[in-house]
């Protein structure tokens, strides 16, 4: 099932999501639906709040279907290490058509549970590190625009308010 993507302005994106405590068939189905919804929206990462579900689950595929081993599911993730810095243009499915340069750690390590509830450490660098940080932010109620200057953020918010008035958001 493909879920519609929740856009900026929906309060579900602004609050920390709840920890996952039940690892059952329903969770597996939700994760499959999250991958499907992410691909349908042409994204490389999706957090559950972005489909209106306030749970600490995110899916990532930086290869966008090219490499099946690149599919990653992080449940109840915590970033346990960050190294270096990188600055790149970043976007978000919940903020369509807005991109800004965001500085993040070049490498990061995350401790997370898998679909069976098993904990492990996973990590990456460059784009994958960026995705891990971006998606973990979502689960903490944070969007990438919180990492840009107040001036740029206000400009984006103003543009969105205009689009909302026009019924185009
Ligand atoms: Ni996002």
């Amino acid at each position: 099932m493909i879920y519609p993507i929740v856009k900026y302005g929906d309060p579900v994106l602004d609050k920390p999501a709840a920890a996952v405590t039940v690892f059952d068939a329903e969770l597996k189905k939700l994760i499959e639906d999250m991958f499907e919804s992410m691909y349908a929206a042409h994204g490389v990462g999706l957090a559950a709040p972005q489909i209106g579900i306030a749970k600490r689950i995110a899916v990532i595929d930086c290869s966008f279907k090219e490499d099946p081993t690149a599919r990653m599911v992080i449940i109840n993730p915590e970033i346990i290490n960050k190294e270096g810095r990188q600055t790149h243009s970043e976007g978000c499915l919940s903020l369509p058509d807005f991109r800004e340069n965001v500085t993040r750690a070049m490498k990061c390590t995350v401790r997370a549970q898998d679909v069976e509830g098993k904990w492990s450490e996973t990590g990456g660098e460059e784009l994958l590190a960026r995705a891990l940080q971006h998606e973990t932010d979502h689960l903490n109620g944070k969007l990438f625009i919180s990492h840009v200057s107040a001036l740029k953020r206000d400009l984006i918010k103003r543009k969105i308010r205009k689009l909302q008035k026009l019924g185009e958001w």
Side-chain angles (χ1 to χ4, degrees):
M1 175 190 165
I2 295 172
Y3 286 86
I5 306 292
V6 169
K7 287 186 195 168
Y8 170 86
D10 190 311
V12 73
L13 296 174
D14 298 328
K15 52 187 182 207
V20 173
T21 54
V22 180
F23 296 81
D24 58 2
E26 205 179 307
L27 177 68
K28 288 194 177 85
K29 168 76 173 106
L30 174 60
I31 287 163
E32 283 313 306
D33 288 346
M34 284 178 66
F35 273 110
E36 213 182 316
S37 305
M38 178 183 81
Y39 292 135
H42 305 286
V44 295
L46 182 76
Q50 293 183 277
I51 54 166
I53 296 172
K55 288 187 182 172
R56 300 183 75 80
I57 309 165
V59 296
I60 293 171
D61 178 0
C62 289
S63 82
F64 197 78
K65 297 194 243 187
E66 287 293 309
D67 174 8
T69 67
R71 278 168 63 114
M72 194 180 265
V73 178
I74 49 172
I75 301 173
N76 300 328
E78 300 292 343
I79 292 176
I80 55 171
N81 190 47
K82 288 188 197 180
E83 273 174 59
R85 267 155 66 99
Q86 57 168 324
T87 302
H88 282 292
S89 169
E90 196 167 313
C92 178
L93 294 176
S94 296
L95 286 151
D97 301 327
F98 289 99
R99 296 192 73 84
E100 290 294 338
N101 278 338
V102 176
T103 299
R104 295 193 185 268
M106 175 57 100
K107 284 186 187 179
C108 88
T109 308
V110 169
R111 186 171 176 268
Q113 281 170 288
D114 68 10
V115 71
E116 313 288 346
K118 188 173 160 275
W119 287 97
S120 66
E121 284 179 18
T122 181
E125 49 186 78
E126 298 186 351
L127 179 60
L128 179 55
R130 173 171 296 280
L132 288 166
Q133 292 166 82
H134 179 116
E135 300 313 330
T136 305
D137 267 0
H138 270 301
L139 304 180
N140 295 327
K142 220 168 155 185
L143 297 172
F144 82 88
I145 54 168
S146 66
H147 295 284
V148 306
S149 71
L151 196 71
K152 281 184 181 164
R153 187 164 51 248
D154 287 345
L155 192 64
I156 291 171
K157 287 183 179 176
R158 231 179 299 149
K159 283 182 183 165
I160 291 171
R161 269 198 293 275
K162 221 177 270 178
L163 290 168
Q164 283 169 330
K165 272 185 200 151
L166 293 167
E168 289 171 10
W169 185 257

